[in-house]
Amino acid sequence: MSSAIPVIVPVITIDGPSASGKGTVAQLVAARLGFHYLDSGALYRIVAFATLQKNIAWNNAQGVSECAKTLNIEFVNEQVFLNGQEVSNEIRTEAIGKGASQVAVHPPLRAALIDMQHAFCKAPGLVADGRDMGTVIFPKALLKVFLTATTATRAKRRYQQLLDKGQPANYEHILQDLQERDARDQSRASAPLVMADDAILLETDNLGISAAVDTILRNYQHKICK
Ligand code: DC
């Protein structure tokens, strides 16, 4: 009788605050390794977007988590679909980002999204980006990275991103929003944004995207070969 050999799926987690560059870096690392990519923030953004459409208040823990359970969420390449409708741009606004941070404080919502996140863990591997990837969702990840930068650097980046997209931007408002979002994400009782004890710290103030990607790939190589 032959017993099936379990497939071992390597996971790299990249956590950090908003606008730290983790999304871009995580996608590039996933592409270089041919791994799947999980943008966990998109899930919280979709919930904020869907509840706003249904007039469910973001501070209504039960309403928000019940609504999340009914959503059909699909990621196709870089596009995000909610119940068959593309919402990639709609979920990327500053208002929805703020809403995502507000709905994310609710433990029943976080619990409702766990299986969906674990389902991304498929061969040949996964790069998962978010706030609690290395601490809660994939605590046994092979490599954990905490990517960060000062609030001023992140606010400047966000400001430039909005200008590049032709959207209105006010640096002072962006800075204040980031500070509020950091405070909420770091202080919530359930799965707060903290660096895992076994994560490597990458500060990107003076580190370009490709240098960050190379550093992560070097650390990954080190993990699998040594
Ligand atoms: O990474 P992002 O900016 O798209 O995330 C939006 C919000 O979602 C963030 O402010 C907090 C929440 N979030 C979370 O609580 N846990 C995650 N793993 C990812 C995002």
Side-chain angles (χ1 to χ4, degrees):
M1 206 174 87
S2 71
S3 60
I5 299 170
V7 178
I8 296 169
V9 180
V11 177
I12 300 175
T13 58
I14 305 183
D15 288 306
S18 306
S20 56
K22 64 188 173 8
T24 309
V25 169
Q27 285 180 67
L28 288 168
V29 170
R32 289 272 290 272
L33 295 170
F35 281 10
H36 297 282
Y37 168 60
L38 166 61
D39 171 7
S40 62
L43 298 175
Y44 292 93
R45 285 172 179 269
I46 289 172
V47 173
F49 177 74
T51 45
L52 183 67
Q53 282 191 322
K54 294 184 178 189
N55 279 323
I56 299 169
W58 287 334
N59 64 4
N60 174 352
Q62 201 193 340
V64 160
S65 37
E66 287 308 317
C67 172
K69 290 179 197 160
T70 67
L71 304 178
N72 176 17
I73 300 170
E74 287 169 294
F75 292 88
V76 183
N77 302 321
E78 284 171 23
Q79 295 170 304
V80 185
F81 292 84
L82 169 60
N83 299 331
Q85 193 199 338
E86 203 204 330
V87 293
S88 318
N89 293 332
E90 288 81 348
I91 63 163
R92 295 283 156 212
T93 66
E94 290 303 290
I96 293 298
K98 212 166 165 175
S101 168
Q102 291 177 42
V103 296
V105 303
H106 304 311
L109 172 65
R110 303 199 72 86
L113 296 180
I114 290 176
D115 287 350
M116 212 183 286
Q117 294 174 83
H118 284 163
F120 279 79
C121 187
K122 287 187 291 200
L126 174 68
V127 179
D129 116 42
R131 303 291 186 290
D132 61 342
M133 296 295 97
T135 48
V136 175
I137 304 295
F138 300 109
K140 294 186 180 161
L142 186 62
L143 176 65
K144 299 179 187 179
V145 178
F146 194 82
L147 206 74
T148 190
T150 60
T151 327
T153 299
R154 292 185 286 121
K156 276 184 218 146
R157 279 185 198 151
R158 183 54 51 86
Y159 176 73
Q160 195 54 51
Q161 278 166 1
L162 289 173
L163 291 185
D164 292 346
K165 284 196 259 175
Q167 291 179 14
N170 175 307
Y171 177 80
E172 290 306 322
H173 288 168
I174 293 171
L175 185 65
Q176 196 185 334
D177 277 356
L178 273 182
Q179 284 165 338
E180 281 171 17
R181 191 119 72 95
D182 284 354
R184 191 163 38 234
D185 292 348
Q186 288 163 355
S187 66
R188 67 180 176 226
S190 176
L193 169 66
V194 284
M195 180 169 148
D197 292 340
D198 49 352
I200 58 162
L201 175 65
L202 278 189
E203 283 165 317
T204 63
D205 297 270
N206 297 307
L207 189 71
I209 299 282
S210 59
V213 171
D214 287 346
T215 305
I216 294 172
L217 290 172
R218 255 199 319 277
N219 276 276
Y220 176 69
Q221 176 82 353
H222 189 82
K223 287 270 181 193
I224 56 173
C225 297
K226 297 189 179 142

